[in-house]
Amino acid sequence: METQKGLETFRAALCRRHLAVTSQRMKIARAVLEAQDHFTADALLARLKADGARVGRVTVYRTLKVLLEAGLVEERAFDKGRVAYERALGRSHHDHMICVTCRRVIEFESARIEREQRRQAQACGFEVLTHQHTLFGHCRGCRAKRGNGSKA
Amino acid sequence: METQKGLETFRAALCRRHLAVTSQRMKIARAVLEAQDHFTADALLARLKADGARVGRVTVYRTLKVLLEAGLVEERAFDKGRVAYERALGRSHHDHMICVTCRRVIEFESARIEREQRRQAQACGFEVLTHQHTLFGHCRGCRAKRGNGSKA
DNA sequence: CTAACTGCAAATAGTTTGCAGGACA
DNA sequence: TGTCCTGCAAACTATTTGCAGTTAG
C-alpha cells in the first residue's frame, strides 16, 4: 500500500515544520491518501465524520494546506468558488476532462502536450512549477443520451 | 474598432433573451469589450465607477453572465475563490502562464497542443466546448531577481 | 403606462481567523 | 506541565437573491 509511504512523508513534513503528530492530522492524511477520486474539503470532512472521526472543518482545511505544501495533494479548479483536491502520491501526472452535464471527471495524460508545454514555457523564460489543463464539454454518455442533435 | 461589433453582438444577445437595452448594460458591455487584460468583477465595477458610471455590483455580475453566454467574455480560474474574466471577441484562443510571485499573466498559443488535445478528447468520445490550460511558476523577471539560487 | 431593470441590503457558500478548552511531548 | 492543537463561532470574500423604487419600450 502506498498509503504507508504517504503517511511517512506526511510525518516528515510535520516534523520539518515543527508541527505535532496528532490523531486528527493523521486521520485526515490517511483519508486523503486513500481517496481514489477528487474531493472537496467538505466532502472529505463528511467522509471522516461518517467514519466516526472526531475532526472539525477547520482542522481539515489546515491539514490540507500542510499536505499541499508537502506535495501529497494537488488543488484543482473544476468548479468556480470551490477547490477540489486530489491525492498526488503514487499517481503520474494527468489532466482532466469535465462533463458539464453529469460532472463526470475523465483523466487523460499526454507526453506530447507536456513536452510542447515545456517548450512554450522555455521560450518565455518561464519556470513551470505546476500546471492545470482542463477540458469542459460533453462526455460520451451524455452525448449519446441527448442524441446527436444539433440543438443545445 | 472591434468594440462596435461587440456591442452589436451584445444587443442581439439581449434581444434574443428578451432583455432590455439599458444604459447600465451598455456601459458594462463597453467596458468589457475595451478591456485589454484580465479582470475580476470587482475590478470592472471599480473601473466603471472611476469613469463616473452609475452601476451597481449586482448589475455587473448579471451582465457578465449575459456576456458570457453570448461568448463575448470567457471565465478564467487563475486564483481560487475568484473568477477572472477576459474579453473573447477579436482575440484568438490562447492560454496562460501565471507567475506565482508577481502574479503576472503571460499568454501563449500552441496549435500543436490544441491539436493533441482534440485528439485526446476524440479518443474518449468527449466533445470539447471550452478548455483552460494554465501554467503556474516563475516568470523570467522574478527568476532573475531571486538569482538562480537553489533555495526558495 | 406597465413590466422589466436596478441596486441596496441581506442571504449564501467556501474558507480563514480569534479564542477558550483539550491533548501531545 | 506547558505549549501547541482543536474546534466553535465569528469574520471574511466572492457571489446570488428579495424587494422597493426607477426606467425602457
Side-chain angles (χ1 to χ4, degrees):
Chain A
M1 196 67 90
E2 240 140 6
T3 304
Q4 291 311 317
K5 191 163 72 179
L7 289 176
E8 280 316 302
T9 307
F10 182 56
R11 274 176 197 276
L14 289 177
C15 187
R16 205 177 318 119
R17 303 184 91 211
H18 305 292
L19 297 172
V21 175
T22 66
S23 77
Q24 285 91 335
R25 283 175 179 159
M26 293 315 282
K27 276 176 194 155
I28 293 168
R30 180 179 297 276
V32 166
L33 291 165
E34 285 173 349
Q36 292 308 315
D37 48 355
H38 310 85
F39 55 89
T40 62
D42 237 49
L44 177 61
L45 177 67
R47 198 176 306 176
L48 283 160
K49 293 238 184 192
D51 290 354
R54 296 240 314 82
V55 292
R57 175 180 281 99
V58 181
T59 304
V60 167
Y61 277 108
R62 286 194 276 232
T63 305
L64 277 171
K65 200 167 288 181
V66 178
L67 286 159
L68 189 69
E69 289 170 17
L72 290 166
V73 282
E74 286 181 5
E75 288 183 342
R76 306 287 180 189
F78 292 157
D79 293 292
K80 62 177 174 180
R82 80 170 55 193
V83 176
Y85 295 88
E86 175 174 17
R87 128 176 158 260
L89 187 81
R91 313 207 57 195
S92 58
H93 177 81
H94 58 268
D95 287 294
H96 303 86
M97 306 182 200
I98 313 283
C99 179
V100 297
T101 306
C102 68
R103 285 279 126 196
R104 193 152 75 93
V105 178
I106 301 161
E107 300 180 350
F108 73 94
E109 212 173 325
S110 165
R112 201 172 302 195
I113 289 178
E114 307 280 320
R115 200 182 316 126
E116 175 65 9
Q117 168 186 300
R118 211 172 306 125
R119 185 186 313 193
Q120 290 281 337
Q122 268 171 11
C124 300
F126 191 87
E127 178 196 3
V128 179
L129 296 175
T130 62
H131 77 270
Q132 204 165 308
H133 189 174
T134 310
L135 319 185
F136 296 91
H138 300 299
C139 72
R140 195 197 301 273
C142 290
R143 286 173 69 195
K145 254 173 237 153
R146 74 171 55 186
N148 43 19
S150 50
K151 194 63 183 54
Chain B
M1 195 68 86
E2 241 141 2
T3 304
Q4 291 312 317
K5 192 164 70 179
L7 288 176
E8 280 318 300
T9 308
F10 181 57
R11 274 176 196 278
L14 289 177
C15 186
R16 204 177 318 118
R17 305 185 89 212
H18 306 292
L19 297 172
V21 175
T22 64
S23 77
Q24 286 91 334
R25 282 175 178 158
M26 293 315 280
K27 277 177 195 155
I28 294 168
R30 180 179 296 277
V32 165
L33 291 164
E34 286 174 349
Q36 292 308 317
D37 48 354
H38 312 83
F39 54 90
T40 61
D42 236 50
L44 177 60
L45 176 67
R47 198 176 307 176
L48 283 159
K49 294 237 183 192
D51 289 353
R54 295 239 319 81
V55 293
R57 175 180 281 97
V58 181
T59 304
V60 167
Y61 278 108
R62 286 193 276 232
T63 306
L64 278 170
K65 201 166 288 179
V66 179
L67 287 160
L68 189 68
E69 288 168 18
L72 290 167
V73 282
E74 287 182 4
E75 288 182 341
R76 305 288 180 188
F78 292 157
D79 293 292
K80 62 177 174 181
R82 79 171 55 194
V83 176
Y85 295 88
E86 175 174 13
R87 128 178 158 260
L89 187 82
R91 312 206 57 193
S92 58
H93 176 79
H94 58 268
D95 289 293
H96 303 86
M97 306 184 202
I98 314 281
C99 180
V100 297
T101 305
C102 67
R103 286 278 125 194
R104 193 153 75 94
V105 178
I106 302 160
E107 301 181 349
F108 74 93
E109 213 174 326
S110 165
R112 201 172 302 195
I113 289 178
E114 306 281 319
R115 200 182 316 127
E116 174 65 10
Q117 166 186 300
R118 211 173 305 123
R119 184 187 313 193
Q120 290 281 336
Q122 268 171 10
C124 301
F126 191 89
E127 179 196 3
V128 179
L129 295 175
T130 62
H131 78 269
Q132 205 166 308
H133 190 172
T134 309
L135 318 186
F136 296 92
H138 302 297
C139 73
R140 196 198 300 273
C142 289
R143 285 173 72 195
K145 255 174 237 151
R146 73 172 55 189
N148 43 20
S150 50
K151 196 56 186 56

